[in-house]
Amino acid sequence: MPTFKLDGKEIPFEKGETIIKAAHKQGIEIPHYCWHPGLSVAANCRMCLVEIEPAANQRAMMLDVLVWDEKKKDYVVSRKPKLQPACQMAAGDGMVVKSETSEHVALARKNVQEFLLLNHPVDCPICDQSGECKLQDYYMSEQATKKRMRDEPQHKPKGQVFGPTIVYDAERCIACTRCIRVCEEVIQDPMLDMRERGNLFEVITSPGRQVEGHYTMMVEWVCPVGALTTSHWRHKGRVWLLKGTQSVCPGCATGCNMWVDVDPRENTAFRNRPRENEAVNQYWMCDDGMLSYDRVYKHRMLHASVDGEKSSSAKAIEAAAQHISAHKGSLAVVLSAQRSVEENIAAVALAKAAGADLYITGKASWDGDKILRNSDQNPNRAGALKAAGVESLPSVDELVHKNHSAILVLGEDAEVANDVVARLRARVPSAPKVVVLATHEQRGAWLGVATVVVPITVWAETDGTFVNAKGVAQAFKRALAPRGDVVTGWEAIVKIAKASGLDTGYSKLSELREAAVSRGIEAAPLKKQDGVSPGTNTPRSTV
Amino acid sequence: MAAGTKVIKKPKRTLADQSFVVELVKGLGVTFKHFFKGLNQMRPGGPRPDVTNFNYEDGIATLQYPDEKRPYARRFRGVHRLTHRANGEPRCTACLMCSTACPAQCIWIKPAEFPVGHPSRGHERFPEEFVIDELRCIFCGFCVEACPVDAIRMDTGIHMTAIDDRGSFIFDKKKLMSIPSQDGDFVTSNDRPEPGDKNYGGITRLQGH
Ligand code: SF4
Ligand code: SF4
Ligand code: SF4
Ligand code: SF4
Ligand code: FES
């Protein structure tokens, strides 16, 4: 592989790769605004300028400049090398690039910063990007001087609504055009355009359009400053009060990698952010995935119930165990494509011990697309099948025709929704006893026929693994503590099995993990990066 | 007797010494001298030292708190107040700097956006709720230091005294905005005007810049 030298360090690169991208791959950041690894090169912000030494047989390209001479109290003629944008300059073999080590680069960055902040409103106190804003980061690292312009800055519209999810502040915009490019290149829908230039630059929506569709939040996500904000996070809190945890989107079978940002003081999730993974979601997520953090607190099933009466989880587990041991002979266990591999393995073990039949359920499919969204709304169908060690399992549709006298359901979702309820209810007086391990109320059809409901954790409240549609196993970590009387999913199953005299052979999460590995489900280990504020630990401010 | 040892003679004790009566009377004399001196100072119109200089002047050393209080310095950190804008709204922009800085974590703020049509919409946000738990507060003043817009102050001069009800230490927005400074002021000294305000000095696109 060819290499070039960046500040004395050898950086390997692929042919045609730019300097900034090769450095980014090595974890070295060259300050930049308009460049984004997932977008085309615009080279309009000039923050990424670097000094490239001339090749051995060439002269350096020099520019005449005036510099202030403190002794003479006058400008004197001087020369400086012409700097190159690292985001556009293709790396060459043996190139010698100076970024942090060049005084000319340092001065250029400082001046670019000063120009960008000339008309900036500096309303960081009310800006939601504050804490993960490139203008703040580079002000501290590259500029750190007071503002010299004494005039009132240029004022432009603030708080413009661009669509149901996006709000635009023209004063904070640095004209990098990332948002316009993400619309064209990633979302493939040119919803945004621009008008005027320089200080008068404004991003506008295309005539007759607003920012809409399934990927609007990526428009905000790419903005390196606070010019674009989402209506969901806007004025909700401060990023430095959040802690990011590595997670996987539970929204569909694509399994986009993401961070769940949690406020530990309130034990609640406030937002999701894409986590870079070249093989799965690159840098992006869809809106439904970005908003899936609300599953943590919205419509949660927080109380157990037995025969329609509110109860404690411990009592519900006992009641569930009674039904299961009483009906061991004709038990059905319904796995869930919504739940993690570990929970499904526990459920399979219970089914084996009781000699029960296995079925699978999940959510109904939705509109997929060619960008990210998979038409299967379940994050772990492949994982649930692998947990059972089979290619396919009968669906709930078939369950209705069988005469099981007890059913244990993992998760309250059912693809065939109300159908199940109607048909199982119709079987009175031989209606089966149904034990549902549920996360949310008012959602799944199973709750309509439940004899016993045990509230269990959502994905963000426990460690787990999902296997996406492509068969990639991905681990996620616990982001918050379980709320209320909620029992950890796999634990609920193991406890029910134990109380009904069945042996699953599992008592720890690590044992379930080992069982997953023995079934060929091995997720790449996660980095040790959790529990730090978004601005400091995660790629938001470096991409 | 070893060399270098100094012999001290036992003092002779008289009968007066031995009976303690004389020394007792002498001691009581001192006690009563101060008692009557104090009594004289305490009588209405008596020669009491000024409460401010209590430590430096002769005389009685006890301050009759809470009937008597030493005046606090003007910079004394009393209970908080939230300053107002000229139009009576809170100056606070709900930036959460104070609650971030607070070592006791006793400030809780719920930020909100101004409604559509409000002139401050987009320029500012405001605290829908602003709560300080004065019981948890350690009166360090970091919140005042952290505030970028002079919205929170501790210049009320009010020393929070003990109340037997914990709930009354929880100061909400309304309560915090109802407390004036020790000079009786409410309005902030950093009332940033915004486009549309009469005293706004800036240039806007509408002015054809
Ligand atoms: S809104 Fe943000 S992303 Fe778009 S041009 Fe302005 S600064 Fe760049
Ligand atoms: S595409 Fe699927 S996995 Fe990705 S963010 Fe959207 S719902 Fe989540
Ligand atoms: S004075 Fe100190 S402890 Fe009290 S509210 Fe302010 S920052 Fe918190
Ligand atoms: S009082 Fe000041 S520091 Fe606290 S939220 Fe309001 S504006 Fe921010
Ligand atoms: S010009 Fe290279 S990052 Fe903007």
PDB file of all heavy atoms in Angstrom, chain B residues 108-138:
ATOM      1  N   TRP B 108     -33.073  22.671  38.951  1.00  0.00           N
ATOM      2  CA  TRP B 108     -33.721  21.881  37.907  1.00  0.00           C
ATOM      3  C   TRP B 108     -34.493  22.822  36.986  1.00  0.00           C
ATOM      4  O   TRP B 108     -35.305  23.624  37.454  1.00  0.00           O
ATOM      5  CB  TRP B 108     -34.665  20.858  38.513  1.00  0.00           C
ATOM      6  CG  TRP B 108     -35.247  19.962  37.464  1.00  0.00           C
ATOM      7  CD1 TRP B 108     -34.629  18.903  36.875  1.00  0.00           C
ATOM      8  CD2 TRP B 108     -36.529  20.070  36.867  1.00  0.00           C
ATOM      9  NE1 TRP B 108     -35.464  18.343  35.948  1.00  0.00           N
ATOM     10  CE2 TRP B 108     -36.633  19.032  35.914  1.00  0.00           C
ATOM     11  CE3 TRP B 108     -37.610  20.942  37.021  1.00  0.00           C
ATOM     12  CZ2 TRP B 108     -37.770  18.845  35.138  1.00  0.00           C
ATOM     13  CZ3 TRP B 108     -38.734  20.741  36.240  1.00  0.00           C
ATOM     14  CH2 TRP B 108     -38.805  19.705  35.318  1.00  0.00           C
ATOM     15  N   ILE B 109     -34.199  22.737  35.694  1.00  0.00           N
ATOM     16  CA  ILE B 109     -34.799  23.665  34.737  1.00  0.00           C
ATOM     17  C   ILE B 109     -35.418  22.873  33.601  1.00  0.00           C
ATOM     18  O   ILE B 109     -34.841  21.906  33.124  1.00  0.00           O
ATOM     19  CB  ILE B 109     -33.731  24.613  34.155  1.00  0.00           C
ATOM     20  CG1 ILE B 109     -33.056  25.384  35.280  1.00  0.00           C
ATOM     21  CG2 ILE B 109     -34.343  25.587  33.153  1.00  0.00           C
ATOM     22  CD1 ILE B 109     -31.746  25.985  34.874  1.00  0.00           C
ATOM     23  N   LYS B 110     -36.577  23.307  33.166  1.00  0.00           N
ATOM     24  CA  LYS B 110     -37.180  22.707  31.978  1.00  0.00           C
ATOM     25  C   LYS B 110     -37.233  23.787  30.910  1.00  0.00           C
ATOM     26  O   LYS B 110     -38.062  24.704  30.999  1.00  0.00           O
ATOM     27  CB  LYS B 110     -38.570  22.190  32.305  1.00  0.00           C
ATOM     28  CG  LYS B 110     -39.177  21.426  31.172  1.00  0.00           C
ATOM     29  CD  LYS B 110     -40.524  20.872  31.580  1.00  0.00           C
ATOM     30  CE  LYS B 110     -41.169  20.169  30.396  1.00  0.00           C
ATOM     31  NZ  LYS B 110     -42.597  20.056  30.556  1.00  0.00           N
ATOM     32  N   PRO B 111     -36.353  23.714  29.907  1.00  0.00           N
ATOM     33  CA  PRO B 111     -36.356  24.756  28.873  1.00  0.00           C
ATOM     34  C   PRO B 111     -37.546  24.591  27.939  1.00  0.00           C
ATOM     35  O   PRO B 111     -38.079  23.501  27.781  1.00  0.00           O
ATOM     36  CB  PRO B 111     -35.053  24.508  28.103  1.00  0.00           C
ATOM     37  CG  PRO B 111     -34.380  23.359  28.759  1.00  0.00           C
ATOM     38  CD  PRO B 111     -35.362  22.670  29.624  1.00  0.00           C
ATOM     39  N   ALA B 112     -37.940  25.696  27.327  1.00  0.00           N
ATOM     40  CA  ALA B 112     -39.026  25.623  26.353  1.00  0.00           C
ATOM     41  C   ALA B 112     -38.820  26.695  25.300  1.00  0.00           C
ATOM     42  O   ALA B 112     -38.075  27.652  25.502  1.00  0.00           O
ATOM     43  CB  ALA B 112     -40.371  25.811  27.048  1.00  0.00           C
ATOM     44  N   GLU B 113     -39.463  26.501  24.171  1.00  0.00           N
ATOM     45  CA  GLU B 113     -39.355  27.440  23.060  1.00  0.00           C
ATOM     46  C   GLU B 113     -40.524  28.411  23.134  1.00  0.00           C
ATOM     47  O   GLU B 113     -41.637  28.037  23.506  1.00  0.00           O
ATOM     48  CB  GLU B 113     -39.381  26.658  21.750  1.00  0.00           C
ATOM     49  CG  GLU B 113     -39.339  27.539  20.521  1.00  0.00           C
ATOM     50  CD  GLU B 113     -38.438  26.966  19.439  1.00  0.00           C
ATOM     51  OE1 GLU B 113     -38.418  25.745  19.281  1.00  0.00           O
ATOM     52  OE2 GLU B 113     -37.760  27.759  18.756  1.00  0.00           O
ATOM     53  N   PHE B 114     -40.268  29.679  22.763  1.00  0.00           N
ATOM     54  CA  PHE B 114     -41.359  30.655  22.739  1.00  0.00           C
ATOM     55  C   PHE B 114     -42.380  30.258  21.680  1.00  0.00           C
ATOM     56  O   PHE B 114     -42.034  29.667  20.665  1.00  0.00           O
ATOM     57  CB  PHE B 114     -40.807  32.049  22.424  1.00  0.00           C
ATOM     58  CG  PHE B 114     -40.123  32.688  23.598  1.00  0.00           C
ATOM     59  CD1 PHE B 114     -38.740  32.731  23.673  1.00  0.00           C
ATOM     60  CD2 PHE B 114     -40.864  33.246  24.624  1.00  0.00           C
ATOM     61  CE1 PHE B 114     -38.107  33.312  24.761  1.00  0.00           C
ATOM     62  CE2 PHE B 114     -40.235  33.830  25.710  1.00  0.00           C
ATOM     63  CZ  PHE B 114     -38.856  33.866  25.784  1.00  0.00           C
ATOM     64  N   PRO B 115     -43.644  30.566  21.915  1.00  0.00           N
ATOM     65  CA  PRO B 115     -44.671  30.153  20.948  1.00  0.00           C
ATOM     66  C   PRO B 115     -44.518  30.890  19.613  1.00  0.00           C
ATOM     67  O   PRO B 115     -43.891  31.956  19.552  1.00  0.00           O
ATOM     68  CB  PRO B 115     -45.983  30.551  21.633  1.00  0.00           C
ATOM     69  CG  PRO B 115     -45.605  31.570  22.643  1.00  0.00           C
ATOM     70  CD  PRO B 115     -44.213  31.256  23.074  1.00  0.00           C
ATOM     71  N   VAL B 116     -45.082  30.311  18.587  1.00  0.00           N
ATOM     72  CA  VAL B 116     -45.030  30.921  17.262  1.00  0.00           C
ATOM     73  C   VAL B 116     -45.621  32.325  17.342  1.00  0.00           C
ATOM     74  O   VAL B 116     -46.659  32.529  17.971  1.00  0.00           O
ATOM     75  CB  VAL B 116     -45.822  30.060  16.245  1.00  0.00           C
ATOM     76  CG1 VAL B 116     -45.736  30.666  14.853  1.00  0.00           C
ATOM     77  CG2 VAL B 116     -45.311  28.639  16.237  1.00  0.00           C
ATOM     78  N   GLY B 117     -44.917  33.280  16.737  1.00  0.00           N
ATOM     79  CA  GLY B 117     -45.417  34.645  16.747  1.00  0.00           C
ATOM     80  C   GLY B 117     -44.787  35.504  17.829  1.00  0.00           C
ATOM     81  O   GLY B 117     -44.798  36.727  17.735  1.00  0.00           O
ATOM     82  N   HIS B 118     -44.221  34.890  18.853  1.00  0.00           N
ATOM     83  CA  HIS B 118     -43.548  35.648  19.909  1.00  0.00           C
ATOM     84  C   HIS B 118     -42.246  36.231  19.323  1.00  0.00           C
ATOM     85  O   HIS B 118     -41.515  35.523  18.639  1.00  0.00           O
ATOM     86  CB  HIS B 118     -43.247  34.717  21.077  1.00  0.00           C
ATOM     87  CG  HIS B 118     -42.829  35.447  22.325  1.00  0.00           C
ATOM     88  ND1 HIS B 118     -41.608  36.058  22.436  1.00  0.00           N
ATOM     89  CD2 HIS B 118     -43.477  35.677  23.489  1.00  0.00           C
ATOM     90  CE1 HIS B 118     -41.512  36.622  23.629  1.00  0.00           C
ATOM     91  NE2 HIS B 118     -42.643  36.400  24.290  1.00  0.00           N
ATOM     92  N   PRO B 119     -41.963  37.527  19.579  1.00  0.00           N
ATOM     93  CA  PRO B 119     -40.770  38.122  18.963  1.00  0.00           C
ATOM     94  C   PRO B 119     -39.471  37.435  19.363  1.00  0.00           C
ATOM     95  O   PRO B 119     -38.490  37.494  18.619  1.00  0.00           O
ATOM     96  CB  PRO B 119     -40.798  39.567  19.455  1.00  0.00           C
ATOM     97  CG  PRO B 119     -41.786  39.612  20.566  1.00  0.00           C
ATOM     98  CD  PRO B 119     -42.750  38.509  20.325  1.00  0.00           C
ATOM     99  N   SER B 120     -39.437  36.785  20.498  1.00  0.00           N
ATOM    100  CA  SER B 120     -38.195  36.139  20.933  1.00  0.00           C
ATOM    101  C   SER B 120     -38.025  34.741  20.355  1.00  0.00           C
ATOM    102  O   SER B 120     -36.996  34.114  20.562  1.00  0.00           O
ATOM    103  CB  SER B 120     -38.160  36.039  22.455  1.00  0.00           C
ATOM    104  OG  SER B 120     -38.087  37.314  23.022  1.00  0.00           O
ATOM    105  N   ARG B 121     -39.013  34.240  19.656  1.00  0.00           N
ATOM    106  CA  ARG B 121     -38.915  32.875  19.121  1.00  0.00           C
ATOM    107  C   ARG B 121     -37.716  32.771  18.182  1.00  0.00           C
ATOM    108  O   ARG B 121     -37.538  33.600  17.304  1.00  0.00           O
ATOM    109  CB  ARG B 121     -40.185  32.498  18.372  1.00  0.00           C
ATOM    110  CG  ARG B 121     -40.204  31.042  17.952  1.00  0.00           C
ATOM    111  CD  ARG B 121     -41.450  30.721  17.168  1.00  0.00           C
ATOM    112  NE  ARG B 121     -41.337  29.445  16.492  1.00  0.00           N
ATOM    113  CZ  ARG B 121     -41.645  28.281  17.047  1.00  0.00           C
ATOM    114  NH1 ARG B 121     -42.078  28.241  18.269  1.00  0.00           N
ATOM    115  NH2 ARG B 121     -41.507  27.156  16.367  1.00  0.00           N
ATOM    116  N   GLY B 122     -36.900  31.758  18.396  1.00  0.00           N
ATOM    117  CA  GLY B 122     -35.714  31.581  17.567  1.00  0.00           C
ATOM    118  C   GLY B 122     -34.497  32.290  18.130  1.00  0.00           C
ATOM    119  O   GLY B 122     -33.380  31.851  17.950  1.00  0.00           O
ATOM    120  N   HIS B 123     -34.722  33.424  18.813  1.00  0.00           N
ATOM    121  CA  HIS B 123     -33.599  34.169  19.383  1.00  0.00           C
ATOM    122  C   HIS B 123     -33.274  33.699  20.782  1.00  0.00           C
ATOM    123  O   HIS B 123     -32.147  33.790  21.239  1.00  0.00           O
ATOM    124  CB  HIS B 123     -33.918  35.664  19.437  1.00  0.00           C
ATOM    125  CG  HIS B 123     -34.120  36.255  18.089  1.00  0.00           C
ATOM    126  ND1 HIS B 123     -33.104  36.863  17.403  1.00  0.00           N
ATOM    127  CD2 HIS B 123     -35.206  36.304  17.282  1.00  0.00           C
ATOM    128  CE1 HIS B 123     -33.560  37.277  16.233  1.00  0.00           C
ATOM    129  NE2 HIS B 123     -34.829  36.942  16.134  1.00  0.00           N
ATOM    130  N   GLU B 124     -34.291  33.269  21.488  1.00  0.00           N
ATOM    131  CA  GLU B 124     -34.123  32.906  22.885  1.00  0.00           C
ATOM    132  C   GLU B 124     -34.978  31.698  23.188  1.00  0.00           C
ATOM    133  O   GLU B 124     -35.867  31.338  22.414  1.00  0.00           O
ATOM    134  CB  GLU B 124     -34.611  34.051  23.790  1.00  0.00           C
ATOM    135  CG  GLU B 124     -33.770  35.306  23.729  1.00  0.00           C
ATOM    136  CD  GLU B 124     -32.528  35.211  24.564  1.00  0.00           C
ATOM    137  OE1 GLU B 124     -32.161  34.093  24.979  1.00  0.00           O
ATOM    138  OE2 GLU B 124     -31.900  36.257  24.793  1.00  0.00           O
ATOM    139  N   ARG B 125     -34.704  31.091  24.315  1.00  0.00           N
ATOM    140  CA  ARG B 125     -35.651  30.139  24.858  1.00  0.00           C
ATOM    141  C   ARG B 125     -35.890  30.562  26.299  1.00  0.00           C
ATOM    142  O   ARG B 125     -35.238  31.483  26.785  1.00  0.00           O
ATOM    143  CB  ARG B 125     -35.134  28.718  24.738  1.00  0.00           C
ATOM    144  CG  ARG B 125     -33.805  28.474  25.426  1.00  0.00           C
ATOM    145  CD  ARG B 125     -33.313  27.107  25.043  1.00  0.00           C
ATOM    146  NE  ARG B 125     -32.370  26.593  26.010  1.00  0.00           N
ATOM    147  CZ  ARG B 125     -31.785  25.407  25.895  1.00  0.00           C
ATOM    148  NH1 ARG B 125     -32.043  24.647  24.871  1.00  0.00           N
ATOM    149  NH2 ARG B 125     -30.925  24.989  26.789  1.00  0.00           N
ATOM    150  N   PHE B 126     -36.797  29.954  26.968  1.00  0.00           N
ATOM    151  CA  PHE B 126     -37.094  30.407  28.324  1.00  0.00           C
ATOM    152  C   PHE B 126     -37.348  29.205  29.234  1.00  0.00           C
ATOM    153  O   PHE B 126     -37.623  28.118  28.749  1.00  0.00           O
ATOM    154  CB  PHE B 126     -38.300  31.359  28.324  1.00  0.00           C
ATOM    155  CG  PHE B 126     -39.617  30.659  28.113  1.00  0.00           C
ATOM    156  CD1 PHE B 126     -40.462  30.386  29.180  1.00  0.00           C
ATOM    157  CD2 PHE B 126     -40.005  30.273  26.844  1.00  0.00           C
ATOM    158  CE1 PHE B 126     -41.681  29.728  28.978  1.00  0.00           C
ATOM    159  CE2 PHE B 126     -41.217  29.610  26.634  1.00  0.00           C
ATOM    160  CZ  PHE B 126     -42.055  29.345  27.706  1.00  0.00           C
ATOM    161  N   PRO B 127     -37.217  29.400  30.542  1.00  0.00           N
ATOM    162  CA  PRO B 127     -37.453  28.279  31.447  1.00  0.00           C
ATOM    163  C   PRO B 127     -38.941  28.119  31.713  1.00  0.00           C
ATOM    164  O   PRO B 127     -39.568  29.005  32.284  1.00  0.00           O
ATOM    165  CB  PRO B 127     -36.722  28.684  32.730  1.00  0.00           C
ATOM    166  CG  PRO B 127     -36.747  30.168  32.708  1.00  0.00           C
ATOM    167  CD  PRO B 127     -36.796  30.608  31.285  1.00  0.00           C
ATOM    168  N   GLU B 128     -39.481  27.013  31.273  1.00  0.00           N
ATOM    169  CA  GLU B 128     -40.890  26.754  31.567  1.00  0.00           C
ATOM    170  C   GLU B 128     -41.017  26.493  33.065  1.00  0.00           C
ATOM    171  O   GLU B 128     -41.952  26.927  33.705  1.00  0.00           O
ATOM    172  CB  GLU B 128     -41.348  25.535  30.764  1.00  0.00           C
ATOM    173  CG  GLU B 128     -42.835  25.425  30.650  1.00  0.00           C
ATOM    174  CD  GLU B 128     -43.219  24.266  29.755  1.00  0.00           C
ATOM    175  OE1 GLU B 128     -42.460  23.914  28.836  1.00  0.00           O
ATOM    176  OE2 GLU B 128     -44.295  23.707  29.973  1.00  0.00           O
ATOM    177  N   GLU B 129     -40.042  25.767  33.572  1.00  0.00           N
ATOM    178  CA  GLU B 129     -39.987  25.563  35.020  1.00  0.00           C
ATOM    179  C   GLU B 129     -38.563  25.804  35.480  1.00  0.00           C
ATOM    180  O   GLU B 129     -37.612  25.504  34.758  1.00  0.00           O
ATOM    181  CB  GLU B 129     -40.411  24.139  35.372  1.00  0.00           C
ATOM    182  CG  GLU B 129     -41.893  23.918  35.274  1.00  0.00           C
ATOM    183  CD  GLU B 129     -42.241  22.454  35.401  1.00  0.00           C
ATOM    184  OE1 GLU B 129     -41.928  21.875  36.442  1.00  0.00           O
ATOM    185  OE2 GLU B 129     -42.794  21.899  34.440  1.00  0.00           O
ATOM    186  N   PHE B 130     -38.402  26.370  36.645  1.00  0.00           N
ATOM    187  CA  PHE B 130     -37.079  26.668  37.196  1.00  0.00           C
ATOM    188  C   PHE B 130     -37.187  26.445  38.699  1.00  0.00           C
ATOM    189  O   PHE B 130     -37.909  27.161  39.373  1.00  0.00           O
ATOM    190  CB  PHE B 130     -36.695  28.113  36.883  1.00  0.00           C
ATOM    191  CG  PHE B 130     -35.238  28.408  37.111  1.00  0.00           C
ATOM    192  CD1 PHE B 130     -34.425  28.795  36.050  1.00  0.00           C
ATOM    193  CD2 PHE B 130     -34.679  28.305  38.368  1.00  0.00           C
ATOM    194  CE1 PHE B 130     -33.077  29.059  36.247  1.00  0.00           C
ATOM    195  CE2 PHE B 130     -33.338  28.563  38.572  1.00  0.00           C
ATOM    196  CZ  PHE B 130     -32.534  28.942  37.509  1.00  0.00           C
ATOM    197  N   VAL B 131     -36.520  25.439  39.192  1.00  0.00           N
ATOM    198  CA  VAL B 131     -36.674  25.089  40.606  1.00  0.00           C
ATOM    199  C   VAL B 131     -35.306  25.026  41.281  1.00  0.00           C
ATOM    200  O   VAL B 131     -34.368  24.430  40.744  1.00  0.00           O
ATOM    201  CB  VAL B 131     -37.382  23.719  40.757  1.00  0.00           C
ATOM    202  CG1 VAL B 131     -37.553  23.385  42.214  1.00  0.00           C
ATOM    203  CG2 VAL B 131     -38.720  23.728  40.043  1.00  0.00           C
ATOM    204  N   ILE B 132     -35.182  25.676  42.418  1.00  0.00           N
ATOM    205  CA  ILE B 132     -33.968  25.542  43.224  1.00  0.00           C
ATOM    206  C   ILE B 132     -34.354  24.969  44.585  1.00  0.00           C
ATOM    207  O   ILE B 132     -35.290  25.450  45.213  1.00  0.00           O
ATOM    208  CB  ILE B 132     -33.250  26.890  43.420  1.00  0.00           C
ATOM    209  CG1 ILE B 132     -32.876  27.501  42.079  1.00  0.00           C
ATOM    210  CG2 ILE B 132     -32.003  26.706  44.281  1.00  0.00           C
ATOM    211  CD1 ILE B 132     -32.126  28.806  42.188  1.00  0.00           C
ATOM    212  N   ASP B 133     -33.643  23.942  44.983  1.00  0.00           N
ATOM    213  CA  ASP B 133     -33.839  23.379  46.310  1.00  0.00           C
ATOM    214  C   ASP B 133     -32.883  24.092  47.258  1.00  0.00           C
ATOM    215  O   ASP B 133     -31.702  23.766  47.329  1.00  0.00           O
ATOM    216  CB  ASP B 133     -33.558  21.875  46.270  1.00  0.00           C
ATOM    217  CG  ASP B 133     -33.819  21.205  47.610  1.00  0.00           C
ATOM    218  OD1 ASP B 133     -33.987  21.934  48.599  1.00  0.00           O
ATOM    219  OD2 ASP B 133     -33.859  19.965  47.654  1.00  0.00           O
ATOM    220  N   GLU B 134     -33.395  25.106  47.968  1.00  0.00           N
ATOM    221  CA  GLU B 134     -32.529  25.923  48.821  1.00  0.00           C
ATOM    222  C   GLU B 134     -31.980  25.117  49.996  1.00  0.00           C
ATOM    223  O   GLU B 134     -31.019  25.525  50.637  1.00  0.00           O
ATOM    224  CB  GLU B 134     -33.298  27.148  49.340  1.00  0.00           C
ATOM    225  CG  GLU B 134     -33.781  28.090  48.250  1.00  0.00           C
ATOM    226  CD  GLU B 134     -32.678  28.956  47.662  1.00  0.00           C
ATOM    227  OE1 GLU B 134     -31.585  29.017  48.235  1.00  0.00           O
ATOM    228  OE2 GLU B 134     -32.931  29.570  46.603  1.00  0.00           O
ATOM    229  N   LEU B 135     -32.589  23.984  50.261  1.00  0.00           N
ATOM    230  CA  LEU B 135     -32.123  23.168  51.375  1.00  0.00           C
ATOM    231  C   LEU B 135     -30.863  22.399  50.990  1.00  0.00           C
ATOM    232  O   LEU B 135     -30.001  22.146  51.816  1.00  0.00           O
ATOM    233  CB  LEU B 135     -33.237  22.188  51.765  1.00  0.00           C
ATOM    234  CG  LEU B 135     -33.270  21.692  53.201  1.00  0.00           C
ATOM    235  CD1 LEU B 135     -33.225  22.839  54.171  1.00  0.00           C
ATOM    236  CD2 LEU B 135     -34.516  20.859  53.429  1.00  0.00           C
ATOM    237  N   ARG B 136     -30.772  22.049  49.715  1.00  0.00           N
ATOM    238  CA  ARG B 136     -29.580  21.341  49.252  1.00  0.00           C
ATOM    239  C   ARG B 136     -28.478  22.305  48.865  1.00  0.00           C
ATOM    240  O   ARG B 136     -27.320  21.924  48.779  1.00  0.00           O
ATOM    241  CB  ARG B 136     -29.925  20.480  48.045  1.00  0.00           C
ATOM    242  CG  ARG B 136     -30.318  19.090  48.421  1.00  0.00           C
ATOM    243  CD  ARG B 136     -30.725  18.322  47.207  1.00  0.00           C
ATOM    244  NE  ARG B 136     -29.581  17.729  46.535  1.00  0.00           N
ATOM    245  CZ  ARG B 136     -29.691  16.957  45.473  1.00  0.00           C
ATOM    246  NH1 ARG B 136     -30.868  16.699  44.971  1.00  0.00           N
ATOM    247  NH2 ARG B 136     -28.640  16.449  44.906  1.00  0.00           N
ATOM    248  N   CYS B 137     -28.859  23.542  48.574  1.00  0.00           N
ATOM    249  CA  CYS B 137     -27.897  24.547  48.131  1.00  0.00           C
ATOM    250  C   CYS B 137     -26.832  24.772  49.196  1.00  0.00           C
ATOM    251  O   CYS B 137     -27.127  24.827  50.379  1.00  0.00           O
ATOM    252  CB  CYS B 137     -28.640  25.846  47.850  1.00  0.00           C
ATOM    253  SG  CYS B 137     -27.551  27.224  47.501  1.00  0.00           S
ATOM    254  N   ILE B 138     -25.572  24.897  48.735  1.00  0.00           N
ATOM    255  CA  ILE B 138     -24.494  25.178  49.686  1.00  0.00           C
ATOM    256  C   ILE B 138     -24.061  26.636  49.587  1.00  0.00           C
ATOM    257  O   ILE B 138     -23.033  27.026  50.115  1.00  0.00           O
ATOM    258  CB  ILE B 138     -23.295  24.238  49.459  1.00  0.00           C
ATOM    259  CG1 ILE B 138     -22.807  24.351  48.013  1.00  0.00           C
ATOM    260  CG2 ILE B 138     -23.661  22.809  49.796  1.00  0.00           C
ATOM    261  CD1 ILE B 138     -21.428  23.800  47.811  1.00  0.00           C
TER     262      ILE B 138
END
